[in-house]
Amino acid sequence: MQVQLSFPTSRPRRLRANKLVRDAVAETSLSPDDFIMPIFVKDGAGKEPIDSMPGYFRWPVDGSLVEHVEEALSLGVNKFILFGVLPDDVKDPEGKASYDPQGVVPRAIRLLKETFGDRVLLFADVCLCEYTDHGHCGVVVRDGRGWRIDNDRTISIYAKEAVVYADAGADFVAPSGMMDGQVRAIRQALDAAGYQDVGIMAYSAKYASAFYGPFRVAASSAPKFGDRRTYQMDPRNSREAVKEVMLDIEEGADIVMVKPALAYLDVVRLVKDWFPWVPLAAYSVSGEYSMIKAAAKMGYLDERLVALEALFAIKRAGADLILTYYALDAARWLREGTPF
């Protein structure tokens, strides 16, 4: 018996026939408007290369920082998050330099706002790890049980830090320490100081991740003892992220965040499904950046294709904003058109 074969009516490959067709039906878009670019700022002159993050620098608060931001603006990147880098001799157990009005981050905010005004949207990271001599994100208390982080003392310092950044001109403050009640403490402090219009982008679901290694070199913020697992989230958990995000929203967060991004795309999707009305950021962290850089240097992969594929994956998972060290490169590549 002869069997007559017939092809299916639906042929999905028709919609992949060439780049024009693929672009026409692409489900996910990516643009420089989606990016928040991290910037490390420091005291002293001259930019310093960061060995753990090839192509990235610590910037002095002077004309070179202005030029760096001007380059970003020319590529369509207009959102920046600032991290301070301090020498060890000015750090102390409580991170008092974090709320110094003449500190490196407030000075950088003032310089960029005076230069660019509303052309830039500035986020300021609120934490203590860059400012404490022990490298933890809060005040350490030692007793007969060993050491612990004093949650409530810590969030009172975060509140001071946030007000200083608002005074300097920050559009958003971004508490990253994963302390309980940090968003409420900061919101109350900002409102009491007359900064009701300053927003909060909360690191709501920040995991105790090994992917932060290169950042800790860049910011000189590695803990001198122990780890951060008593305050950052357990990598084995996802439902807990929903609780953390819900609490931050209730306390007044305007934007919530999942960090890291690539190893936690399921969490990004989960948070977006639970809270679709809240803007969601995802932080593509230093380890993600440096791994791609290292593999590309060895010739194991195509840096441009892999970096863009990763950014599209984060956006596809549900992120509205992406904090990425690839902001400048990705903006240049996107000008040439997506390579897919």
Side-chain angles (χ1 to χ4, degrees):
M1 182 178 66
Q2 185 176 6
V3 178
Q4 186 173 0
L5 300 177
S6 62
F7 287 98
T9 302
S10 178
R11 292 176 181 256
R13 284 187 58 197
R14 293 189 189 113
L15 297 181
R16 302 194 292 267
N18 59 55
K19 187 170 181 1
L20 288 177
V21 175
R22 293 192 297 274
D23 285 348
V25 300
E27 300 172 15
T28 307
S29 62
L30 185 70
S31 81
D33 281 337
D34 301 321
F35 302 149
I36 300 175
M37 186 173 86
I39 298 179
F40 299 97
V41 290
K42 69 177 189 72
D43 283 316
K47 67 178 184 181
E48 297 174 354
I50 299 171
D51 292 340
S52 61
M53 300 174 65
Y56 235 76
F57 298 87
R58 304 178 191 92
W59 294 89
V61 184
D62 61 17
S64 62
L65 174 62
V66 170
E67 292 173 3
H68 183 49
V69 171
E70 186 68 66
E71 178 187 13
L73 289 173
S74 73
L75 293 167
V77 177
N78 58 15
K79 290 175 279 295
F80 309 90
I81 184 165
L82 301 176
F83 297 92
V85 182
L86 273 66
D88 288 342
D89 61 0
V90 300
K91 299 180 181 182
D92 65 66
E94 295 196 358
K96 294 176 182 177
S98 67
Y99 54 89
D100 178 0
Q102 298 306 314
V104 63
V105 170
R107 295 202 326 269
I109 293 170
R110 286 194 291 269
L111 174 62
L112 295 179
K113 278 299 184 181
E114 289 167 2
T115 305
F116 299 108
D118 290 340
R119 293 175 61 199
V120 297
L121 195 66
L122 297 184
F123 299 74
D125 180 79
V126 175
C127 197
L128 298 186
C129 59
E130 298 108 311
Y131 304 98
T132 54
D133 54 10
H134 47 71
H136 278 284
C137 301
V139 178
V140 173
V141 176
R142 296 184 182 275
D143 55 28
R145 295 173 296 174
W147 66 273
R148 59 184 174 83
I149 301 297
D150 186 331
N151 187 96
D152 295 0
R153 171 63 180 145
T154 297
I155 63 176
S156 71
I157 298 175
Y158 289 174
K160 293 180 183 179
E161 186 179 356
V163 170
V164 166
Y165 294 159
D167 280 336
D171 299 290
F172 283 81
V173 294
S176 62
M178 287 298 290
M179 297 294 144
D180 295 339
Q182 62 183 15
V183 173
R184 176 175 283 113
I186 289 170
R187 183 72 271 160
Q188 290 175 346
L190 289 173
D191 290 353
Y195 293 115
Q196 292 88 351
D197 293 334
V198 173
I200 297 176
M201 179 176 70
Y203 289 63
S204 300
K206 180 179 179 180
Y207 285 83
S209 172
F211 283 92
Y212 303 149
F215 176 97
R216 291 176 180 175
V217 174
S220 186
S221 62
K224 299 294 192 296
F225 55 86
D227 56 41
R228 295 175 178 161
R229 298 188 184 279
T230 65
Y231 45 103
Q232 294 177 358
M233 284 182 57
D234 189 328
R236 296 171 292 186
N237 294 354
S238 60
R239 292 188 297 272
E240 183 185 9
V242 174
K243 177 175 70 174
E244 289 281 9
V245 170
M246 179 178 65
L247 288 170
D248 280 359
I249 294 170
E250 291 174 349
E251 291 178 14
D254 302 285
I255 303 171
V256 296
M257 187 197 301
V258 173
K259 180 184 181 184
L262 283 180
Y264 298 85
L265 293 179
D266 61 318
V267 179
V268 174
R269 182 72 265 163
L270 182 65
V271 170
K272 195 61 182 176
D273 285 345
W274 270 83
F275 308 102
W277 62 91
V278 180
L280 174 60
Y283 200 144
S284 184
V285 298
S286 59
E288 299 169 32
Y289 171 85
S290 295
M291 284 195 305
I292 295 173
K293 284 284 186 181
K297 183 178 180 180
M298 295 298 292
Y300 296 154
L301 49 76
D302 184 310
E303 181 181 10
R304 170 173 166 265
L305 288 175
V306 170
L308 286 177
E309 186 175 340
L311 291 170
F312 269 100
I314 298 166
K315 186 76 182 296
R316 188 182 67 243
D320 302 296
L321 295 164
I322 305 172
L323 290 79
T324 174
Y325 300 99
Y326 268 114
L328 292 187
D329 286 335
R332 293 189 188 96
W333 294 329
L334 290 171
R335 280 193 168 185
E336 303 166 4
T338 55
F340 310 121

